[in-house]
Amino acid sequence: DGGITQSPKYLFRKEGQNVTLSCEQNLNHDAMYWYRQDPGQGLRLIYYSQIVNDFQKGDIAEGYSVSREKKESFPLTVTSAQKNPTAFYLCASSTQDRGARQPQHFGDGTRLSIL
Amino acid sequence: AQKITQTQPGMFVQEKEAVTLDCTYDTSDQSYGLFWYKQPSSGEMIFLIYQGSYDEQNATEGRYSLNFQKARKSANLVISASQLGDSAMYFCAMREGTHSGYALNFGKGTSLLVTP
């Protein structure tokens, strides 16, 4: 079955530590996205990538970094510069057709907490 | 400025009744798409329904329908014959043209509780 796999499901970060969230898709989608969700809030865009080896900042990119070395993979690193990293992180992918009726597909998310 | 506004933080509905979840949006694009997602307490985002800005008919998917009023910039979700399993957060989202690589702008969501 095609889909998006995020790991780990739960992650704990110590002060001053960088942590990396994994996102892998086998849907053959060109575009991948990272969103952050805080309690009682909607999703906010952190980074997106439309093609391998290229990515762009979203609305709240400070304190985060990404890479896109393979079409299938779009890992997110939460750096020590992100002072409030506790949140639910969702990875998504989609086609790049402007008129596409297909939705973005989401992984099951990673819950990140501060130790 | 908020692109998607969901004014109902929480809603209650009795089982088997219909419920409408409100969504208004703000865009100057002529071509855009509107989506509704369901998020159960487990966290995954489940796609429910899509409406394109040029669609003349309101979208329907099983028990879900979208009341699309383009002039009023509203895209309300109607759930008919509510079931206990419909209890979840519901998010309205918009994709505008080529903004942010087709990323979605989300509203803050509406928490729906279906009671027996």
Side-chain angles (χ1 to χ4, degrees), chain B residues 73-84:
Chain B
K73 292 187 176 176
S74 77
N76 298 339
L77 177 70
V78 180
I79 305 175
S80 62
S82 297
Q83 302 171 356
L84 295 178

Side-chain angles (χ1 to χ4, degrees), chain B residues 11 13-17 19 21 37-44 46-48 63-64 77 79-90 110-116:
Chain B
M11 292 279 287
V13 66
Q14 205 157 18
E15 205 176 0
K16 299 186 178 69
E17 298 291 312
V19 63
L21 306 184
Y37 283 86
K38 171 184 177 182
Q39 187 181 43
S41 57
S42 50
E44 72 267 30
I46 301 167
F47 166 70
L48 296 178
R63 294 187 300 112
Y64 304 107
L77 177 70
I79 305 175
S80 62
S82 297
Q83 302 171 356
L84 295 178
D86 293 335
S87 295
M89 285 291 292
Y90 288 81
T110 295
S111 177
L112 178 66
L113 182 62
V114 182
T115 60

